[in-house]
Amino acid sequence: MTIAAAAPFARYRPPAPEPLERPLGTLAFLRALTSNPLNVWTRQAYEEPFVDLPGNVIGPRLLVNDPEAIRRILVENEGNYLRDDLQLRILRRTIGLGLFTAEGAAWRAQRKVVAPLFSARAVSGFLPAMAAAAEAGIERLSASPDGTVLDVAEQMSTIALDVLERTLFRDGFRTPLAEVGRHSKRFVDGAGAVTILDVLGLPEWIPGLRLLRVRSDQRALSAMVDRMIAARRAAPPKPDGEGPETRDILSALLAAADRETGIGLSEREVRDNVLTFIGAGHETTGYALSWALFLLSGAPDVRAAAEAEADAVLGSDREAPAGIADLPLVRAVIEESMRLYPTAPFLSRVARQDDVIGGRPIRAGSLVLIVPWLLHRHRRLWSDPDVFDPGRFLPDRRESVPRFAYLPFGAGPRVCIGSAFALQEATLVLARILSRFRFDLAPGHVIEPVQRITLRPRGGMPMILRHRAAPTSGLAGADTPR
């Protein structure tokens, strides 16, 4: 029996905030927005293609769930729609002025510098390093006996950081991975939350209590990057044989210069881009893996089929790096996990000039919202939208998914530059984890997805580890939990 023939799977509806029947009042809205913005949405937001949101302290907004209208905003007329001040305020205090927050000419210049590192050839060349990071993570997990409760979010974050260190940062972080992960998580938890100061638009030099609490983490991460930059400047790599496949993020940023002016990136732009790739690059993949393991714990039939696929492809040869084309179900699990729990759950844009989308006039200065959390669970766009069904993304069904109804990496010119890298990494790491371990949610722990810059489980994701016998052949189902 082929893996694809294992679908349809049993219905599993994972936890999510229940839609509200009516909009919140101003004070309740502010409390929800600063605690967990996922809790502000009404049932209408999950059902209608356009929703005019009431003017409160943020002002009137248009929620857009129509795929063709989203195409207009993100692709056809993307130059007319820029990030709004509130979104930029939160992003810039967490990841600075790097590629993700830059606009216009600054964005084009930075993307041109970084793009060669994420070409199809370069990404496929990273497979051995990704496999090595996964195996190092497996070795760390193997030291824990059966029944150990581990925070899977922390474990997957460490593996994702290791992948970055082995691929995009050739000289390493010069700081232990676990320490980098702790600083990054605490900083994004504190600085990535919406605060009353943000909503009221008070001056950014007023930091707020949450930001004050994580200043030490910010300083530690900045100091780490400064050391990396200083070490590279002191001992630059030899140019002989250096191409997109052998360069890393740091060498590309330091060598960048405009052909006409000869002016390169500023010291801050280099630092902020490094911080962006460390923070966003490991947070998104680490949480995607965590949500996938959580969902599989609630869907034993899907997990058994994914384990069988991983066993069949990996066999006993741990050195052979499988590609995502060899793992259609494991890849589908990752994609469905990013549908239900998108690591980037919120986008907003402000119109520079008047426009028309979906037959609706958009005035200059209007704020439009595209919310993958809502879009991916929309009643008109998905069958059984709240059910975990990776079969949606198997080869025989994935073409039926509307292009602009699924935005795990955004879309258009500003689509995530590392999307192919992240999907390859997450698929490969998940397959190797499934071939050796089985995780189940710790009894009594309630999972609550919470929106910061990324979507994360509040309080972590404690799961019980069980060892599986390492595959001894390429036969699917050759091993069982012990």
Side-chain angles (χ1 to χ4, degrees), residues 229-459:
I229 294 172
R232 182 61 62 85
R233 289 195 188 280
K238 296 180 180 180
D240 296 340
E242 180 139 329
E245 300 79 24
T246 57
R247 299 176 78 192
D248 66 358
I249 287 286
L250 197 49
S251 61
L253 294 171
L254 291 174
D258 186 279
R259 289 185 178 181
E260 296 180 359
T261 66
I263 298 174
L265 301 179
S266 70
E267 197 79 5
R268 180 178 177 182
E269 286 175 323
V270 172
R271 180 193 300 113
D272 287 353
N273 270 293
V274 171
L275 285 169
T276 295
F277 280 96
I278 291 175
H282 93 274
E283 282 244 344
T284 52
T285 306
Y287 284 121
L289 287 164
S290 303
W291 289 118
L293 289 169
F294 162 68
L295 287 166
L296 289 174
S297 74
D301 58 337
V302 182
R303 181 168 63 184
E307 289 171 348
E309 181 179 85
D311 293 348
V313 171
L314 295 175
S316 59
D317 186 0
R318 310 301 295 178
E319 299 299 320
I324 60 177
D326 304 314
L327 297 158
L329 179 57
V330 176
R331 171 178 171 158
V333 167
I334 291 292
E335 291 181 296
E336 175 72 346
S337 300
M338 290 191 294
R339 183 187 71 82
L340 285 168
Y341 298 105
T343 50
F346 180 87
L347 302 171
S348 59
R349 297 288 188 269
V350 62
R352 299 170 61 191
Q353 299 177 353
D354 292 352
D355 193 17
V356 177
I357 55 174
R360 302 171 66 99
I362 302 296
R363 295 280 190 180
S366 297
L367 188 64
V368 295
L369 309 182
I370 301 170
V371 183
W373 171 264
L374 301 172
L375 188 69
H376 293 181
R377 294 170 177 264
H378 201 270
R379 292 358 181 197
R380 297 190 184 192
L381 299 174
W382 301 89
S383 173
D384 295 326
D386 295 323
V387 171
F388 175 55
D389 177 14
R392 305 175 203 270
F393 294 97
L394 288 174
D396 61 338
R397 290 175 59 190
R398 67 180 304 116
E399 293 302 319
S400 65
V401 176
R403 170 63 187 90
F404 291 90
Y406 181 62
L407 301 175
F409 299 107
R414 298 202 63 137
V415 67
C416 174
I417 196 171
S419 58
F421 180 100
L423 185 58
Q424 174 178 285
E425 173 192 357
T427 302
L428 175 64
V429 171
L430 181 60
R432 288 177 176 263
I433 293 291
L434 292 176
S435 73
R436 297 295 295 274
F437 307 103
R438 181 172 287 177
F439 288 94
D440 290 294
L441 189 65
H445 186 80
V446 177
I447 291 292
E448 179 192 357
V450 60
Q451 177 185 328
R452 290 294 179 255
I453 291 178
T454 53
L455 191 71
R456 55 189 60 205
R458 193 189 296 276

Side-chain angles (χ1 to χ4, degrees), residues 110-328:
Q110 292 182 34
R111 190 173 180 102
K112 186 176 181 180
V113 168
V114 174
L117 294 164
F118 295 97
S119 68
R121 180 180 177 187
V123 169
S124 63
F126 290 142
L127 270 171
M130 291 176 175
E135 290 303 310
I138 286 171
E139 185 175 347
R140 289 191 296 271
L141 290 168
S142 295
S144 298
D146 266 19
T148 302
V149 176
L150 299 171
D151 184 350
V152 164
E154 181 179 324
Q155 299 296 323
M156 296 304 109
S157 169
T158 300
I159 293 176
L161 274 171
D162 195 6
V163 169
L164 289 180
E165 191 170 34
R166 293 170 189 258
T167 55
L168 300 183
F169 296 97
R170 195 170 49 205
D171 295 337
F173 299 138
R174 302 169 183 264
T175 303
L177 293 175
E179 183 179 334
V180 178
R182 283 195 300 272
H183 285 308
S184 179
K185 180 182 181 301
R186 286 198 297 255
F187 180 61
V188 174
D189 272 347
V194 180
T195 70
I196 298 295
L197 301 181
D198 299 324
V199 175
L200 297 178
L202 296 182
E204 293 190 48
W205 53 264
I206 304 176
L209 184 59
R210 281 179 172 171
L211 195 57
L212 286 172
R213 287 173 177 167
V214 295
R215 279 285 171 84
S216 61
D217 297 293
Q218 183 183 33
R219 287 193 293 268
L221 291 171
S222 295
M224 179 191 76
V225 174
D226 286 341
R227 290 193 296 271
M228 293 166 63
I229 294 172
R232 182 61 62 85
R233 289 195 188 280
K238 296 180 180 180
D240 296 340
E242 180 139 329
E245 300 79 24
T246 57
R247 299 176 78 192
D248 66 358
I249 287 286
L250 197 49
S251 61
L253 294 171
L254 291 174
D258 186 279
R259 289 185 178 181
E260 296 180 359
T261 66
I263 298 174
L265 301 179
S266 70
E267 197 79 5
R268 180 178 177 182
E269 286 175 323
V270 172
R271 180 193 300 113
D272 287 353
N273 270 293
V274 171
L275 285 169
T276 295
F277 280 96
I278 291 175
H282 93 274
E283 282 244 344
T284 52
T285 306
Y287 284 121
L289 287 164
S290 303
W291 289 118
L293 289 169
F294 162 68
L295 287 166
L296 289 174
S297 74
D301 58 337
V302 182
R303 181 168 63 184
E307 289 171 348
E309 181 179 85
D311 293 348
V313 171
L314 295 175
S316 59
D317 186 0
R318 310 301 295 178
E319 299 299 320
I324 60 177
D326 304 314
L327 297 158

Side-chain angles (χ1 to χ4, degrees), residues 24-37 40 56-58 194-200 210:
L24 295 170
T26 299
L27 291 179
F29 175 83
L30 284 172
R31 282 196 297 269
L33 190 66
T34 56
S35 173
N36 185 4
V40 306
N56 48 32
V57 287
I58 292 180
V194 180
T195 70
I196 298 295
L197 301 181
D198 299 324
V199 175
L200 297 178
R210 281 179 172 171

Side-chain angles (χ1 to χ4, degrees), residues 61-81:
R61 296 141 289 151
L62 176 66
L63 173 66
V64 180
N65 287 320
D66 178 73
E68 287 306 308
I70 292 172
R71 182 198 300 271
R72 173 74 179 169
I73 295 167
L74 298 182
V75 180
E76 295 170 356
N77 198 20
E78 62 86 22
N80 188 50
Y81 293 94

